[in-house]
Amino acid sequence: RRQERDMKLQPSSRGVDVFCLESEMRRVQDAVAIVGDVARELRTREPVNDDFTPLASCLTKAHRVLESFLSSGSCDSTADAPPRPVPTRRAKAACVKDTGWEALPESAMCFVLRALKAFCSAQHAPQDWALADGFRAGSASLRAVCARWRAAHDAALEHLEPSFFPTLATFSSDAVAGGPDDLDVRWAGRFPNVKSLSLRRLIAHLPARDGASATVARVAMAWPGLAELDLRSARQVEPGVTGALARFSALTSLNLSGDEPGMEDDAEAEALGELGLRDLQGSASAATLARLDLGFRQDISGPEMRALGGLKALQCLSLHGVPPIYLEAEARFLDPLAVLGGLSRLVHLDLYSQVLTDEGMAALAGLVGLTQLSLADCHGDLTDDAAGAMGGLLALTSLDLSCTNDKLHSVAAMRAVGRLSSLVWLSVSDCSSLSDAGVHELSTLTALTVLDLSSCWELSDEGVRALGKLSALTDLNLSNCWEMSGEGVGALGGLTRLRKLNIAGCDKVTDEGLQVFRRHPRLTRMCLWGCKKITDEGVRALGSLQTITRLDLSKCTKITDEGVKALSSLSTLNELDLSGCREVSDDGVRVVATLSALTSLNIAYCRRVTDVGVRTLSGLVAIRHLDVRFCEKITDAGVRALRRNTLDVLSVLV
């Protein structure tokens, strides 16, 4: 009752002073997120000894602590608040033992939030309750109930990601540029244990005259011991920001990545000049910085790239999408590997789209601690011996060679990869010259669980047969391997751990190849898009897959209603795509209507389906997405009838 009444009241004046309430936090996270944070932090900071697993015990503890707190006099008072209940002897004892809501276990906090959510749901439409004014008022009231709870939350908070804090914007204003002021003291005092701060949303909304340098300088004054900082934004991270970063004494993770191509103004990016990475050398951060993300930065120069080689503590470095650096004086491109070879602590390196040389590949051999490496879309003049450097990276568990230099997916390169016995994830997709002989070299990777060979056009049944030895595979992508036929697919039947199989666009695959998957014990996702030779007979083999949750049969033009009927026993199927199966009619849709677990159905371009078939789908209570585009015989009346029967939670594409 107290919660329900407070939801209609404005927070007290004392609450405004203490809590930074609605006038200052109109668009901050709601009470659910706040309580979730404090519950996680307090569970590790101050464990509760009592057993709160049974519901009765949970409710007893919640009632006792709330009554204790209301009787303790710490609750904010309001003008029309009723008299506090007279504390019982038990409540007085609890008042001595407990300190307020900060002592509540997560289960009790969740109970209070469920009650609050239920009240808001009763006042507003279910889809709007999280954004409703009533819930925001309730959120403020919940924070205002207990000053100690809020203080405990703020004191325990370690990660902060403001999105629209008006006060934080003044970190970069000219008015406070001279030194720390009350704002710095207030925020540092309120969140003393913040170790991770993300300003990516805030920086995007700063005025054009303000930039990241001034903002970071103000943050450094508030939290000089900050460990993680996220400044993702190409438009606002201007030159000199790294000078401000040098003020942090214990920075371990820094994200300076920019926007992906097409999301920023090219002229704006060119005007940035150098990012200023050389400022990090010699600073305290140089000795502690372990993670650095520079993905899609357009303003990294040759000297700055070389400066990265001085950050000896780096363990994770991303240059994903950074344009290749051309050295005009030397008339060549700079190979990042040639300057990063001395970073012996590196475990994760992403060099997507960089230019590689033999010198750089030789330096790569020295990074023996690497566990994740991406050379995707890398190019350059390499010799046959260059790829052999990968064979010595025995700690690698993840390797991306997709769409890369031909020398990196030659037979010699695949032989080197085959020596990486710890590898569990490998992509060699979009490598059109990968041969069957090269794939044979991969058959020794017995620990491999994920393999992507999509769009390897020269891969035939002979190479696919070698994959049958990879008994640990759980995810295999062979889409657009046009030379593979049903015989090659049949060789995969022994992969009993396989959960995901993608053979989309393999138009030589036949029904015979699918027979090996009859009663497969673990297959959950299968994509057969565009396998035009598959008929009803092949679909019948899939009808016994009792673990399948997603099935894509789109553009399998020979499948008819008889094939769809074979799917009627797939009780676990959640998503089904029959788009472009032009022989499927209302009879097939009636069978689909019996798949009670279905949440998504695509029958676009099934031109024989009418309103009669669509209406049968009204019994699918779990369905949330339906695509009926270009089904000329389905009218608005059929769609409206279906929406009425599904309580307006269905998204229909027409």
Side-chain angles (χ1 to χ4, degrees):
R1 287 193 296 269
R2 175 70 184 265
Q3 290 174 355
E4 292 177 2
R5 187 189 66 259
D6 281 352
M7 291 185 68
K8 303 175 183 178
L9 302 176
Q10 293 296 325
S12 67
S13 57
R14 180 184 175 192
V16 172
D17 181 51
V18 175
F19 296 121
C20 201
L21 289 173
E22 296 304 315
S23 60
E24 188 178 357
M25 298 176 65
R26 292 189 183 94
R27 305 176 72 175
V28 189
Q29 66 267 41
D30 57 30
V32 176
I34 294 175
V35 172
D37 287 344
V38 70
R40 285 189 294 272
E41 296 292 340
L42 293 177
R43 187 172 60 244
T44 58
R45 185 177 66 88
E46 187 177 356
V48 179
N49 295 325
D50 295 347
D51 180 11
F52 297 102
T53 301
L55 180 59
S57 179
C58 172
L59 299 183
T60 300
K61 178 67 176 179
H63 179 268
R64 180 167 63 87
V65 175
L66 288 174
E67 185 182 41
S68 165
F69 182 76
L70 292 175
S71 304
S72 67
S74 299
C75 184
D76 296 327
S77 60
T78 56
D80 55 351
R84 295 190 181 94
V86 178
T88 62
R89 179 179 301 176
R90 181 178 180 183
K92 290 179 179 179
C95 185
V96 176
K97 178 181 178 182
D98 298 318
T99 58
W101 276 28
E102 63 266 31
L104 279 176
E106 183 177 13
S107 54
M109 289 183 178
C110 289
F111 168 74
V112 174
L113 259 294
R114 279 196 297 270
L116 180 63
K117 177 179 176 180
F119 176 80
C120 296
S121 299
Q123 302 296 318
H124 305 280
Q127 63 269 27
D128 296 328
W129 75 269
L131 300 177
D133 290 339
F135 183 75
R136 287 200 296 270
S139 170
S141 297
L142 184 63
R143 290 193 295 272
V145 166
C146 177
R148 296 189 216 159
W149 172 82
R150 183 65 190 183
H153 165 265
D154 292 348
L157 193 70
E158 293 187 355
H159 174 75
L160 184 62
E161 185 173 350
S163 52
F164 298 99
F165 275 85
T167 51
L168 266 184
T170 60
F171 270 138
S172 60
S173 67
D174 296 335
V176 293
D181 64 349
D182 291 342
L183 182 64
D184 295 327
V185 174
R186 176 150 52 92
W187 279 86
R190 178 175 171 183
F191 304 110
N193 291 317
V194 167
K195 301 299 181 185
S196 174
L197 177 65
S198 174
L199 297 178
R200 60 191 181 98
R201 297 180 182 178
L202 175 67
I203 289 179
H205 295 276
L206 286 178
R209 67 180 183 276
D210 295 330
S213 295
T215 303
V216 171
R218 307 303 297 168
V219 171
M221 294 177 187
W223 298 289
L226 200 67
E228 300 179 7
L229 182 60
D230 187 345
L231 294 173
R232 277 175 276 180
S233 176
R235 290 181 293 275
Q236 293 290 341
V237 180
E238 77 285 352
V241 68
T242 45
L245 292 172
R247 304 186 184 193
F248 293 102
S249 60
L251 200 62
T252 61
S253 178
L254 175 62
N255 191 331
L256 291 172
S257 59
D259 293 327
E260 296 186 30
M263 297 180 63
E264 63 176 353
D265 188 335
D266 292 338
E268 201 173 50
E270 292 177 2
L272 288 176
E274 287 193 355
L275 181 60
L277 293 176
R278 285 177 287 180
D279 294 337
L280 286 176
Q281 286 186 312
S283 69
S285 298
T288 59
L289 193 61
R291 300 177 62 90
L292 179 60
D293 190 343
L294 299 172
F296 296 111
R297 295 299 308 180
Q298 306 292 312
D299 48 4
I300 299 177
S301 65
E304 290 189 306
M305 184 67 75
R306 291 191 174 98
L308 293 178
L311 302 178
K312 300 299 183 181
L314 274 184
Q315 299 178 20
C316 301
L317 174 62
S318 175
L319 298 174
H320 187 102
V322 173
I325 299 172
Y326 186 72
L327 305 176
E328 294 186 3
E330 303 176 32
R332 66 180 181 87
F333 283 97
L334 175 64
D335 183 352
L337 283 173
V339 299
L340 301 177
L343 301 180
S344 58
R345 296 185 183 182
L346 275 181
V347 295
H348 182 193
L349 180 60
D350 187 345
L351 297 178
Y352 175 86
S353 79
Q354 294 298 307
V355 174
L356 303 180
T357 63
D358 285 0
E359 178 189 3
M361 294 301 292
L364 176 64
L367 301 178
V368 295
L370 280 178
T371 61
Q372 299 181 49
L373 174 64
S374 174
L375 299 178
D377 204 30
C378 288
H379 49 285
D381 295 327
L382 297 177
T383 63
D384 292 333
D385 297 332
M390 295 186 295
L393 304 177
L394 300 180
L396 271 184
T397 59
S398 174
L399 178 61
D400 191 348
L401 298 175
S402 56
C403 196
T404 191
N405 186 287
D406 288 348
K407 297 297 184 181
L408 294 180
H409 49 84
S410 63
V411 175
M414 293 299 100
R415 186 177 300 116
V417 173
R419 294 197 291 269
L420 306 178
S421 57
S422 299
L423 211 59
V424 297
W425 191 98
L426 175 63
S427 176
V428 201
S429 63
D430 292 290
C431 296
S432 56
S433 60
L434 179 67
S435 63
D436 291 334
V439 175
H440 270 281
E441 299 292 342
L442 303 178
S443 61
T444 59
L445 299 175
T446 55
L448 201 64
T449 60
V450 179
L451 178 61
D452 188 349
L453 297 176
S454 58
S455 299
C456 293
W457 301 332
E458 293 189 7
L459 181 61
S460 68
D461 292 340
E462 181 182 352
V464 176
R465 277 194 288 270
L467 302 180
K469 300 178 182 180
L470 304 178
S471 58
L473 274 184
T474 61
D475 189 339
L476 178 60
N477 190 343
L478 296 173
S479 60
N480 295 316
C481 293
W482 298 333
E483 297 301 317
M484 181 181 64
S485 69
E487 181 182 351
V489 175
L492 304 176
L495 301 178
T496 56
R497 297 184 182 181
L498 201 63
R499 295 180 181 275
K500 303 176 185 178
L501 177 63
N502 189 342
I503 53 175
C506 300
D507 53 10
K508 291 185 178 181
V509 173
T510 59
D511 295 337
E512 289 73 18
L514 299 183
Q515 301 304 315
V516 298
F517 297 108
R518 192 184 296 270
R519 303 187 186 283
H520 191 283
R522 291 187 175 88
L523 206 58
T524 60
R525 301 183 184 183
M526 196 169 191
C527 182
L528 303 174
W529 173 90
C531 295
K532 298 180 180 179
K533 290 189 177 181
I534 293 178
T535 69
D536 294 340
E537 184 62 29
V539 177
R540 290 189 185 96
L542 307 179
S544 56
L545 295 175
Q546 296 304 308
T547 56
I548 196 79
T549 60
R550 297 185 183 181
L551 181 60
D552 189 344
L553 298 174
S554 57
K555 294 191 177 180
C556 295
T557 54
K558 293 187 177 181
I559 295 177
T560 70
D561 292 336
E562 291 301 315
V564 176
K565 290 178 182 178
L567 305 177
S568 60
S569 61
L570 301 182
S571 58
T572 59
L573 193 63
N574 300 138
E575 300 180 18
L576 177 62
D577 194 338
L578 295 173
S579 59
C581 297
R582 56 197 180 201
E583 299 301 320
V584 174
S585 68
D586 290 341
D587 290 339
V589 174
R590 288 191 186 95
V591 176
V592 173
T594 65
L595 302 174
S596 58
L598 211 61
T599 60
S600 177
L601 174 64
N602 191 341
I603 52 175
Y605 294 94
C606 294
R607 303 180 189 275
R608 299 181 61 187
V609 178
T610 70
D611 289 346
V612 175
V614 169
R615 289 192 181 99
T616 64
L617 299 175
S618 60
L620 296 176
V621 295
I623 196 165
R624 294 296 181 268
H625 175 80
L626 175 64
D627 192 339
V628 294
R629 289 176 294 177
F630 300 99
C631 297
E632 290 91 346
K633 295 184 179 181
I634 296 178
T635 67
D636 292 343
V639 174
R640 283 196 298 269
L642 184 59
R643 280 188 179 276
R644 284 196 299 271
N645 291 330
T646 53
L647 301 177
D648 290 331
V649 297
L650 179 64
S651 171
V652 183
L653 295 179
V654 295

